[in-house]
Structure formats: structure tokens, C-alpha cells
Amino acid sequence: MEVDHRLIEPYRIQEEPYFEPVGSEISLFTAAYANRLPVLIKGPTGCGKSRFVEYMAWRLGRPLVTVSCHEDMTASDLVGRYLVVGGETVWQDGPLTLAVRHGALCYLDEVVEARKDTTVVIHPLADDRRILPMEKQGTLLRAAAEFCLVISYNPGYQSVLKDLKQSTRQRFVAMEFDYPDARREALIVHRESGLDHALAASLVRFAHLTRNLKGNGLEEGASTRLLVHAGRLIQAGCSPAEACAAGITHALTDDPEMLAAVNALSDAIF
Amino acid sequence: MDNDSPPLTLDLLEGRLEEILEAALSSRRTIVPIVQVMTHRTEQQQHTLLHWLPIVARVNPELAFQCAQRIPPQMDQLEEADLERWVGGVLDRYDQEGLQQALTVLRNGPPRLNQRAETAFLADIAGLLTTFVAALGGRPLTLAEGEYPHTNTETLFLPPSLAVADRVEDNHTLYRCLAAHLWSLGRFGTYFPDLPERLGHYPDPEAAAQLYLTLESCRMDAILDRLLPGLGRFMLPWQASRQRGGPWQEVAAALAAPTASRENSLTWTESLYGIALPTPLPFHSARSYRPAMATLLHRLEREKQLFRRVVNQAMPRLQPITLPDAGDERELELRPLADGMTFELLLDGQPLLPPDLIHALSHSIIQDLGRIPPEYLTAAGAGGYAAQESTETGEQEDSCLPTRAEVDTFLYDEWDFRRNDYRKDWCVLKELPILPSDAPLVATTLAKYRALWQGIRRSFELLLGRDLWLRRQLQGDEVDTDTLVQALTDSRAGLEMDERLFRCRRRNERDVATLILVDMSGSTKGWVIEAIQESLVLFCKALQVLGDRYAVYGFSSRTRKQCELFPIKRFEQPYGPAVEGGIAGIAPMEYTRMGVFIRHATAVLNGQEARTRLLITLSDGKPEDYDGFYDGYRGQYAIEDTRKALIEARRSGIHPFCITVDTEAREYLPRLYGPARYVMLDDVRQLPVKIADIYRRLTTG
Ligand SMILES: Nc1ncnc2c1ncn2[C@@H]1O[C@H](COP(=O)(O)OP(=O)(O)OP(=O)(O)O)[C@@H](O)[C@H]1O
Ligand SMILES: [Mg+2]
């Protein structure tokens, strides 16, 4: 089949995304990419996984195709399906096929959400065969050299059940992400929201308090993402207390007792 | 209370009081004065008293006698709810700290009496404060009511009410300041093992300690101001007013330096010794250090042993990964991270991601000692620790409850219907491995019930999720040939062609997690336990057919301190010989304290992600346990607690289902299992079929 590269153009990242490196993640990813190894990124929600992948795609000069995985996703949602257009059946590539064909980075976000029978389609792509069997067409698609598969998941709130199968995870170079250290996190909040350094640092301090409540009434503590949200609210004229309540606390819990307690924490900080 | 009870004559009242308080009476101590006061009370009040006294008397006769003296004079000013809170508080304190402390609470009077509008009550915000303190981090802390504010480094004692500020909100904030202060004393090293020694050379060590603690409170003021500026701002006026007099301004400035430590406070103690102490600020701890020292020293010993044991277990596993060639000299080092609140654990200079336990444990130890002393890293020989352990279990009966940090040990509340309240952390539940048996249970059961099994299997197979094909879809997994042919024919015939030419697979997936709790009490001995084992075999096999997730736990208790739960199959564990051995190993043991096990099962089930969560209890009858308090876990107490636990399970979204094989159980079953669905079998041989049947009904439709 003729490869029409225009299809992938919308997936190119034009401007450098802001990414604050925390450790050696950039060199590690670069090494994996150079060796055509797929990458698995673990980490809590909102800690910068997606941002990192975006940044790497830009840095490596490759388009990025992102798929948010969910329970009802089928293999055809990834690989593609036949459509009928004006009385003719036409094959349409799914996002995975698109990336494989055009040598893009394919990022499967929250991969454990997908059912096991869906995840298996990535197996032959993620080992040294690097092929995608297209069952419905009865063909094998060999991945372009620049193609790279990246998957992410949050090991925190998944039950054992939703863990990744060993046969899946053992195909990947694994990178562990966590919230950045306090100084860097404040810098990120500052850069992303425009908030001044002192307030950004206070937001981070508040986040740390809520992270101590993980498993103590909260399922998760405040993520970097939520801090950025709160920072933007403050920049838009909200008081820190309002911004924390609306941007962070209510995003974390609905439980009235917890809400009161977390509000008390933000009062203690601001 | 009971409005329909007969009117109380003087004789009747006297008789009842005699009866209830008998154990506390003597020739010099009679009920006469009590009766005199009571005759001036309304009949309703008399009934109320007669409701509470027996409850207290069963806990402690002396306490009941004191209640009988203290309560009646107050009754005119008391709402019933106030009285309940007062007596409840007395009983709680008795559970936690014994008679003397309970009497203090009693003497303090009803908590809400004469309340002023600005008064803040601990009871109202205890939940919030607990969360608040947990968020601050460090060792897990509990909150308790105390006569004066102080901490023993594991519990924060706070006064039952505060009315220092003019507005109730401010008194609430004061509570938070106080809790934060007590937390910081434990967190930032005020109490340390050598403290008594360091103060020992003063002519009056007690006075030196008071001074030291005053100085430490100043240091904490500054720390909290940095960590929690919002609270800092609130506390500032009080601090400022103190600093106007004497050397306190200079002291506060010196101790406010970010580098200040307790050593600075000790130095200041040296130079200021003898000075008159200012009154503590309303958010400062009382100047007590003995409770903290006692707890600290006890914990140090316990955690040292625990740490050495954990290191011992962890080392060999860690070695190949983090220690390519380290020989025997390894150095464990803890480096504080930038925030000063957390530490990184390094093994020979390499970051070591420690197992959870070591993590919590080392945090706790570092909080006390500032480091992990080298001798902690010499792994304790197995023999040495075993000896230690056996003396520990020897004193288990009356020693304090195990800490939350201990492995696989859980604390649960228990419902006391007489108080209409929970007894906090009342039951100690341990998960213990079951002793497996190699009896050929599975083979014999399958042979014995061959026909039955065939039937069960067939009916379960019918439940299997079948994939459905949705036809005539606009897009889909496959071309729908029939409609395609139709469409092509239509188009040839000049008709409009249908574009819905695909079929799409929709999964009919079951999403059920089931936990089965099996009664292993002594009364199941004989045919009951056999029937239970057999039905478990068939049930597990049937669930294997379905591929549903399930777990099986056995339980048995002997008093609230020994509630033992035996995981036979955990959710994540595959069915196999180990599980079969576990089922065969089910054996009659002790008693049936249902509530605590239902609460634990609820917690385990809620950890499962599933659309339907099912809790099945298999028991042979009444909940019952032997205990020293009241008349034990039996009768209405046991029924009400079990019922409450089932209600809790229901509220959390679980479907509880109880199966009992007790033929005499009929009269109390509706009350006991009211919140759950239940079935009673009078022939155990029905059990295997019945379980399978119930399961089918519960999980379909
Ligand atoms: N290292 C970082 N550099 C720059 N921005 C960051 C970094 N980490 C987090 N952020 C900020 O946090 C936000 C959330 O990050 P991101 O969307 O990458 O989270 P995620 O880990 O993918 O979360 P999820 O698992 O929920 O998808 C980003 O939009 C960005 O503003
Ligand atoms: Mg993301």
C-alpha cells in the first residue's frame, strides 16, 4: 500500500513543550529510542508523564499519536476497521496502525484500563519482531524504523487485577515517574501558571500535606497538574483559599469531612 | 427510654438500685442517699438512670456506684443526648485508661453543661483534627481526650473543650494550633532517649525539664510559622505578647533560626535555669515529659527488634540488585531530603527503595534518634528474636494492643448497642496462614457428588458471558454478510442501499468479586465442617468455570484481642493445590466474633474493583465469643454488633449474604441478618447446591 504521509502531519508537535527534567529520563528514553525498545512509564496521575512523551516526540522530531485506553476499547479501535463510503467498503487505519506506518511515537495512556485481549495486539510490536498483524486484512505491517511504542500506567490505584500482565510488561524499558522534588515542582507551577515563586512554593507545601493523606482518607494526593490549575486560578484573581478549594480540594474528594479537613490544611498554609 | 414500663414505686427503685450496685455496696456505703436524690426526679429521669447504671455496672461496679452519685444531681439540666455523651465519654476513658481516668471524666461533669457560645468541643472536630495531623506526616498519631494538652509521641492528648478565644471559629483554629504543636514536639526531636540524663545534673531536674519544654515550645512556634504560615499568623499575637517581658524576645529570635535544634534549647536551659516561667500559651503543650519518655523508650526497644528482623529478611533479596560486590561491610545511611521531613535510605551510597515496612519503621526510628544506629544493622539472629517474641506473646493477654505498624494486624471498632456507640479499636485481627492438610478432599468430594457436580457445572456454564453480535451497524469489527447481500440486491434493484453493513461484537462480561467467610468456630465440629468443606470445593470449582474472582477466608476468635483470620484463597491467588490444601485444613477452633471479621472482609472486598461485590458468610449459628467484659460477646450484644457490621458492608456497596446451618437460629435471624439477605438450611447436605444456586441468583439479573 502506498504510504500517504499527509495523514500524519496533524500529529507533529510544532513548538517545544516545556518539560522540566527530574532525573535522567531524557537520556534513558533517547537510548531506548535509539535501540528501538518500547518504553513503559509508571507514575501517579498528573506527574508529567504525558508532558514528557510530548517533549520527547518533539525532541526526536517525530509525530505523536496518543490513545487514552478504556475498558470498552477493542483491538479494532487501535488497529482500524472497514467503513462504508458511498457504497464501497474502505479500510481506515486506527491510531496504532497510523503510527506504525508513518514512524510516529504511539503513546497508549493508562494501558491497564484496556482489556487483556486488546493489549495483546501490541505484543508483536513490542518485541524485536516489530510487526503489527492486521487480522481483518490478513496482512502483517512492519513498523517503520522511527516508530516507538510508549505505554503508561498508574500502579497506585489499580488493584492487583488490573495489573499489567508479565508478558506485557516484560517487553518494555520501564521508567518510574513521581512528583518532582519540592523545588522543581514549585518551578513547574511557576512556569506553567505564571504564579510567583513564593506562592508556588506554598502550593507545593500544601500538595505535600495532601499526599500524606493518601490511603488515609484520600485515594491520591494533589498532583502537579492540580497545582498548576490552582496557580492559574490565583493568577486569574482568585484568593489562594478559593483556588485551593476549587482547583485542588474538590478535585480530590467529595467526602464532607475530608473536604473540611483539607480546607483546614490550606487555611493553615495560606 | 422505656415509657411503657410500670411506674416506679420507692420500693421498686430501691430494689433495682440494690441489685445493680450490689457489688460496690458495703455496710458504710448504702444506696440510701442515692434513693433520696432520686425520689426528687421525674419518673422519666429515674428510668433513664436505671437504663445507664446496669450498663456501667457490667463494665465496673465501682464506676456505676460513682455514676449513681454524680448523675442524679445534674439530671435537671441535662438533655438525654448530653447525658449519653457524658456517660459514653466515661466508658470510653475506662476502656482506654482504666478506672481512675474514667472517674476524672465523670467528675468533670457533663461536657456540654453551661456551654458558652464560643466553646469548641473536641468531640465535634476530632475527625477533622485526626486527618489534619495525618497530613502533617511522620509517625501515625491518634487523638484522645486528656485533662491537659500533651503528647506521649504516639497519642496527642487534647482538652475536651476550649473557650479561650471569643469566637467559636477561633477556638477551632486554636485546636488545630495545639494539635500542630503537639505533633511538632514529637516530629522535631524534643523528646529523645538521653533527655532525663541531660537534665539530671540540675539541682531540680523537674524544674529544668519545665524550662527546657518552654524553650522547645518557642522553637516549635518558629518551625510551625515556617511550615504552616496560616496558623503562624493566627498564633502571632499571643507569641508577641509573651515576648514583651524578660529575656523571651531574645530567646525566641535565637530559637527561630532555621538551624536551631534542641541542643540550642538545652544550652538556653543552662543559661536561664532558675528563671520564672511564663504561663504556657493556649496552643502550647503542658510541660510534661514523663509520658513521652515512657512511650519512647518502650517503642525504641520494640522497633529495634523489628528493624533488625526486617533488615535480616530484606538483605539477601536486595543484595543481587543493589549490591554487586559489597562484602559484609554495608552501611545503611539515611539522608534527609530538602524538605527536612522525609528521608532517603541509602545502602552503601546507593538509593535503596525499601519495602514498605522498613520505610515506615525507619521513619519512626529516625524521628526518635535522628539516625539508624549501627547496631540496628547487625541482623538479629533468628534464635535471639524468637526468644524475644515468645516472651512477648506470653504477656499478650494483658499487654497493650499491638501498634498499627505491625504486619498483618488490624484494629477494628466494635458496636456496643447499650452505649449506642462504637468501642474504638476494640478488636485485634490478625491474618494468619492456615495449616494445610493433604487429605484428598477434592477428589473424594467430586466422587461423592458426581451427579450433583455435573448439574452445578452445567447451570454455571449457562451463566458464562456470551459474546453478542450486534448486527446492521454503521461500523464494526466485521462485514455483516447477510445485510451486505441484501444491500447489494437492493442497489441492483435501484433501491437505496443500506449503509449499516457491519456487525460488532459486544461482550457480555461478568464483573463480580466474591468473598466467602467461613466459620471455623468450635461448634462446627463434625458434620457441619465437613459439609462446609465440601460445599467450598464445589463452589470454588464452579467459580473456576465462570472465571469469576473470589476469595475464601476462615475465621475464629478467642476474645477481642485474638481474632484470627485465615486466608484460604486470596483474590489474587490462583486456585491450585495450595488452596485445596487450605480448604482441607479448615478445622473447628474457638469462637465466632462475627462483627470484626465482617468489617475486615468488607475492607478487603472494597479493595477489589468490581461492579458487583458479594460477601457470603457461612456459619453454623449465633455469633458468640468469650470475653472478660460485660458478659462477653453474646446475646443481643453480639447480634447487634454483627448486624451493624452488615449494615456498614451494605452502605459501602457490598451485597452481604448469610448462609447458616443452625436449625435453632430461626428467631433471631431476621434481626441479625436483617441488613443482609440470608438463608437457613436445616439439612447441610443441601449446602453445596444451595450456595451455587444463591450465587447464580445474586450475580445475574
Ligand atoms: N516535569 C514537568 N515539566 C513540565 N510540566 C510538568 C512536569 N510535570 C508535570 N507538569 C505539569 O503537570 C501537568 C500534568 O502533567 P501530565 O499531563 O503530563 O500528567 P500525566 O502524568 O500524564 O497524568 P495522567 O496519568 O493523569 O495522564 C502538565 O500539564 C504540566 O503542566
Ligand atoms: Mg497523561
Side-chain angles (χ1 to χ4, degrees):
Chain A
M1 200 198 281
E2 188 89 349
V3 178
D4 179 356
H5 281 300
R6 275 173 310 176
L7 290 172
I8 200 72
E9 281 313 310
Y11 295 92
R12 281 199 190 279
I13 296 165
Q14 308 298 343
E15 271 171 45
E16 173 173 359
Y18 164 60
F19 176 72
E20 190 65 41
V22 174
S24 54
E25 63 271 37
I26 297 181
S27 55
L28 191 58
F29 192 102
T30 311
Y33 183 78
N35 287 286
R36 297 184 186 176
L37 295 173
V39 176
L40 160 68
I41 306 179
K42 313 188 229 188
T45 181
C47 71
K49 301 185 293 290
S50 298
R51 179 59 66 88
F52 171 65
V53 177
E54 248 174 76
Y55 172 77
M56 289 312 299
W58 175 84
R59 199 179 150 108
L60 298 168
R62 302 310 309 161
L64 172 64
V65 179
T66 300
V67 183
S68 298
C69 301
H70 54 86
E71 214 177 338
D72 295 327
M73 198 173 72
T74 62
S76 336
D77 289 328
L78 283 177
V79 178
R81 55 167 49 91
Y82 282 105
L83 295 179
V84 170
V85 179
E88 300 227 9
T89 56
V90 180
W91 172 260
Q92 191 185 41
D93 279 349
L96 181 60
T97 311
L98 194 69
V100 168
R101 218 187 277 287
H102 301 277
L105 262 58
C106 183
Y107 179 40
L108 303 181
D109 206 351
E110 278 307 334
V111 74
V112 274
E113 290 298 329
R115 284 200 316 263
K116 308 248 143 101
D117 55 326
T118 309
T119 14
V120 291
V121 310
I122 64 176
H123 282 190
L125 260 183
D127 52 35
D128 46 16
R129 289 174 284 172
R130 294 196 21 118
I131 47 170
L132 177 62
M134 315 241 293
E135 263 174 52
K136 293 206 191 108
Q137 294 191 312
T139 54
L140 289 178
L141 182 62
R142 199 160 294 282
E146 301 86 355
F147 167 77
C148 178
L149 182 63
V150 186
I151 65 178
S152 79
Y153 88 116
N154 175 347
Y157 45 63
Q158 255 84 37
S159 60
V160 267
L161 248 169
K162 280 207 163 172
D163 221 349
L164 269 187
K165 279 206 306 197
Q166 281 298 325
S167 59
T168 306
R169 63 194 304 155
Q170 291 210 9
R171 292 178 140 78
F172 290 81
V173 172
M175 306 178 58
E176 183 150 15
F177 272 50
D178 204 343
Y179 303 119
D181 58 82
R183 197 186 54 77
R184 279 204 191 81
E185 196 168 21
L187 185 64
I188 292 169
V189 174
H190 161 72
R191 286 280 304 259
E192 289 280 293
S193 68
L195 198 63
D196 69 53
H197 284 284
L199 272 174
S202 297
L203 277 178
V204 170
R205 190 125 26 83
F206 175 55
H208 281 228
L209 297 183
T210 66
R211 287 172 198 165
N212 283 335
L213 290 178
K214 178 170 176 172
N216 249 320
L218 289 184
E219 213 172 310
E220 278 287 347
S223 64
T224 312
R225 174 187 299 125
L226 291 185
L227 300 188
V228 171
H229 290 179
R232 291 189 181 145
L233 291 177
I234 297 176
Q235 281 305 88
C238 296
S239 74
E242 284 170 340
C244 285
I248 300 177
T249 311
H250 281 279
L252 291 179
T253 178
D254 296 322
D255 179 76
E257 270 228 334
M258 271 327 270
L259 286 175
V262 180
N263 281 331
L265 291 173
S266 76
D267 286 348
I269 295 260
F270 291 101
Chain B
M1 302 280 133
D2 333 14
N3 286 319
D4 41 340
S5 2
L8 279 172
T9 61
L10 193 60
D11 279 354
L12 241 145
L13 182 66
E14 253 184 46
R16 285 285 289 131
L17 285 173
E18 280 272 2
E19 196 184 305
I20 299 167
L21 300 176
E22 195 189 358
L25 299 177
S26 67
S27 55
R28 268 177 302 157
R29 243 180 163 196
T30 68
I31 55 164
V32 176
I34 301 171
V35 175
Q36 261 170 8
V37 179
M38 284 312 289
T39 48
H40 297 295
R41 299 280 160 254
T42 66
E43 188 158 324
Q44 174 72 45
Q45 288 173 337
Q46 295 174 352
H47 278 299
T48 304
L49 189 75
L50 290 182
H51 166 78
W52 284 111
L53 286 185
I55 294 174
V56 182
R58 259 175 259 132
V59 174
N60 182 301
E62 176 60 24
L63 194 57
F65 182 77
Q66 299 287 342
C67 282
Q69 287 186 310
R70 299 260 168 191
I71 294 176
Q74 306 266 20
M75 286 184 100
D76 273 347
Q77 297 98 297
L78 280 183
E79 301 280 331
E80 226 159 75
D82 295 329
L83 179 61
E84 186 175 333
R85 203 172 295 117
W86 185 19
V87 179
V90 171
L91 290 175
D92 273 345
R93 189 60 73 83
Y94 181 85
D95 287 347
Q96 286 159 13
E97 295 172 62
L99 182 61
Q100 286 316 314
Q101 294 298 323
L103 288 176
T104 311
V105 178
L106 180 66
R107 268 182 243 119
N108 286 347
R112 301 257 158 160
L113 206 55
N114 302 324
Q115 75 158 279
R116 289 176 305 186
E118 73 272 20
T119 309
F121 291 95
L122 180 62
D124 292 341
I125 53 166
L128 185 144
L129 282 181
T130 307
T131 310
F132 187 82
V133 171
L136 297 178
R139 175 184 301 123
L141 294 169
T142 47
L143 254 56
E145 215 171 83
E147 263 182 280
Y148 53 91
H150 71 285
T151 175
N152 66 9
T153 71
E154 288 178 8
T155 303
L156 307 186
F157 295 92
L158 298 166
S161 66
L162 269 185
V164 176
D166 294 336
R167 302 183 324 150
V168 66
E169 304 90 87
D170 290 345
N171 284 317
H172 280 153
T173 309
L174 264 179
Y175 259 125
R176 278 176 232 156
C177 295
L178 188 50
H181 249 279
L182 297 179
W183 164 81
S184 66
L185 291 174
R187 189 72 187 77
F188 299 104
T190 298
Y191 305 106
F192 59 105
D194 295 340
L195 179 58
E197 200 180 306
R198 297 284 296 272
L199 300 172
H201 67 279
Y202 289 98
D204 182 353
E206 194 58 42
Q210 304 244 335
L211 175 56
Y212 167 73
L213 289 165
T214 307
L215 292 161
E216 280 290 273
S217 287
C218 279
R219 183 166 75 92
M220 297 312 151
D221 279 340
I223 290 182
L224 290 177
D225 190 48
R226 284 193 296 271
L227 286 178
L228 304 168
L231 289 189
R233 229 180 304 121
F234 180 81
M235 294 187 278
L236 191 64
W238 277 284
Q239 293 156 351
S241 73
R242 143 150 343 157
Q243 288 165 14
R244 278 197 287 273
W248 297 105
Q249 180 156 15
E250 190 193 343
V251 168
L255 292 175
T259 50
S261 72
R262 63 169 177 245
E263 288 304 321
N264 300 73
S265 294
L266 286 165
T267 313
W268 277 102
T269 306
E270 200 75 54
S271 54
L272 291 179
Y273 181 72
I275 195 177
L277 296 182
T279 41
L281 298 180
F283 39 80
H284 279 172
S285 168
R287 289 151 189 161
S288 80
Y289 74 111
R290 292 190 197 287
M293 294 314 299
T295 315
L296 175 85
L297 295 175
H298 187 257
R299 177 177 60 236
L300 276 179
E301 193 45 45
R302 191 181 68 220
E303 291 186 343
K304 179 175 173 180
Q305 297 302 338
L306 206 53
F307 189 87
R308 294 172 78 185
R309 187 164 50 153
V310 171
V311 168
N312 203 10
Q313 286 166 358
M315 280 303 194
R317 261 189 300 125
L318 294 169
Q319 200 163 1
I321 310 163
T322 53
L323 291 175
D325 185 22
D328 272 328
E329 289 288 304
R330 47 186 71 108
E331 198 181 330
L332 204 56
E333 181 200 343
L334 285 119
R335 182 188 296 164
L337 295 178
D339 61 357
M341 321 249 295
T342 43
F343 294 83
E344 187 179 28
L345 192 59
L346 302 175
L347 186 59
D348 285 343
Q350 298 196 39
L352 176 71
L353 252 190
D356 279 355
L357 181 64
I358 230 189
H359 205 63
L361 200 57
S362 47
H363 270 230
S364 179
I365 295 168
I366 285 173
Q367 218 173 306
D368 286 334
L369 300 177
R371 67 197 177 108
I372 305 269
E375 70 266 26
Y376 277 51
L377 299 173
T378 48
Y385 196 77
Q388 178 75 22
E389 207 164 32
S390 66
T391 60
E392 251 175 36
T393 41
E395 55 186 37
Q396 183 87 50
E397 269 303 314
D398 38 26
S399 76
C400 58
L401 299 178
T403 61
R404 282 163 207 271
E406 237 170 85
V407 224
D408 294 343
T409 297
F410 306 84
L411 297 181
Y412 285 97
D413 296 351
E414 187 166 280
W415 177 254
D416 182 347
F417 79 100
R418 281 172 284 219
R419 295 191 204 170
N420 200 31
D421 200 356
Y422 288 96
R423 290 166 163 261
K424 293 274 174 299
D425 290 343
W426 190 245
C427 298
V428 184
L429 181 146
K430 283 194 183 172
E431 283 196 7
L432 300 173
I434 193 162
L435 208 62
S437 151
D438 51 8
L441 177 68
V442 176
T444 50
T445 305
L446 288 181
K448 183 167 163 191
Y449 294 102
R450 183 173 305 139
L452 187 61
W453 165 237
Q454 300 285 335
I456 292 177
R457 194 178 62 197
R458 252 196 308 281
S459 65
F460 269 72
E461 276 167 354
L462 288 177
L463 290 176
L464 266 179
R466 292 267 155 76
D467 285 356
L468 300 175
W469 283 105
L470 297 181
R471 304 188 52 184
R472 298 170 69 84
Q473 299 294 309
L474 262 178
Q475 54 176 37
D477 300 290
E478 283 179 12
V479 174
D480 184 344
T481 328
D482 292 351
T483 39
L484 180 62
V485 171
Q486 183 64 47
L488 290 176
T489 335
D490 285 352
S491 119
R492 296 258 156 78
L495 297 170
E496 191 182 343
M497 182 173 154
D498 191 345
E499 291 199 339
R500 293 170 298 161
L501 298 179
F502 295 92
R503 52 183 209 155
C504 187
R505 197 201 293 262
R506 217 200 47 209
R507 242 153 259 262
N508 182 10
E509 261 183 323
R510 305 167 45 77
D511 191 7
V512 187
T514 306
L515 190 151
I516 308 169
L517 266 183
V518 182
D519 184 354
M520 286 170 56
S521 63
S523 54
T524 57
K525 199 170 185 141
W527 49 268
V528 177
I529 206 110
E530 267 170 41
I532 287 181
Q533 286 174 316
E534 289 171 356
S535 26
L536 274 179
V537 168
L538 295 180
F539 190 55
C540 292
K541 285 268 167 204
L543 287 180
Q544 287 305 121
V545 171
L546 280 184
D548 278 7
R549 275 175 280 151
Y550 65 102
V552 182
Y553 287 80
F555 67 88
S556 160
S557 63
R558 205 181 91 222
T559 78
R560 66 186 177 97
K561 291 181 184 174
Q562 293 179 44
C563 304
E564 298 176 339
L565 189 67
F566 304 93
I568 294 163
K569 178 189 173 303
R570 295 180 193 270
F571 276 108
E572 65 273 19
Q573 195 179 346
Y575 181 84
V579 174
E580 293 180 353
I583 298 178
I586 292 178
M589 298 179 61
E590 312 258 358
Y591 296 93
T592 327
R593 200 177 200 98
M594 289 281 269
V596 56
F597 296 110
I598 292 174
R599 291 188 178 96
H600 188 73
T602 300
V604 172
L605 256 176
N606 281 330
Q608 290 293 312
E609 267 186 47
R611 200 171 304 144
T612 312
R613 284 187 284 266
L614 209 60
L615 170 63
I616 299 183
T617 62
L618 260 183
S619 96
D620 77 331
K622 281 196 201 187
E624 195 170 53
D625 195 7
Y626 156 86
D627 247 320
F629 81 106
Y630 290 163
D631 21 338
Y633 190 90
R634 66 183 68 205
Q636 199 182 349
Y637 182 95
I639 289 177
E640 295 299 325
D641 176 54
T642 307
R643 175 182 158 80
K644 195 79 178 176
L646 288 169
I647 292 176
E648 292 160 24
R650 267 282 289 264
R651 288 219 183 107
S652 73
I654 287 173
H655 302 280
F657 199 103
C658 306
I659 300 174
T660 167
V661 285
D662 176 9
T663 42
E664 288 151 37
R666 288 181 203 276
E667 44 2 298
Y668 65 81
L669 275 181
R671 174 77 191 158
L672 178 61
Y673 292 147
R677 289 202 263 176
Y678 67 95
V679 61
M680 210 214 49
L681 302 176
D682 32 38
D683 180 359
V684 268
R685 278 166 307 175
Q686 297 172 326
L687 197 51
V689 208
K690 203 71 190 180
I691 293 198
D693 197 43
I694 290 162
Y695 184 81
R696 285 184 42 227
R697 272 194 287 132
L698 284 176
T699 61
T700 51

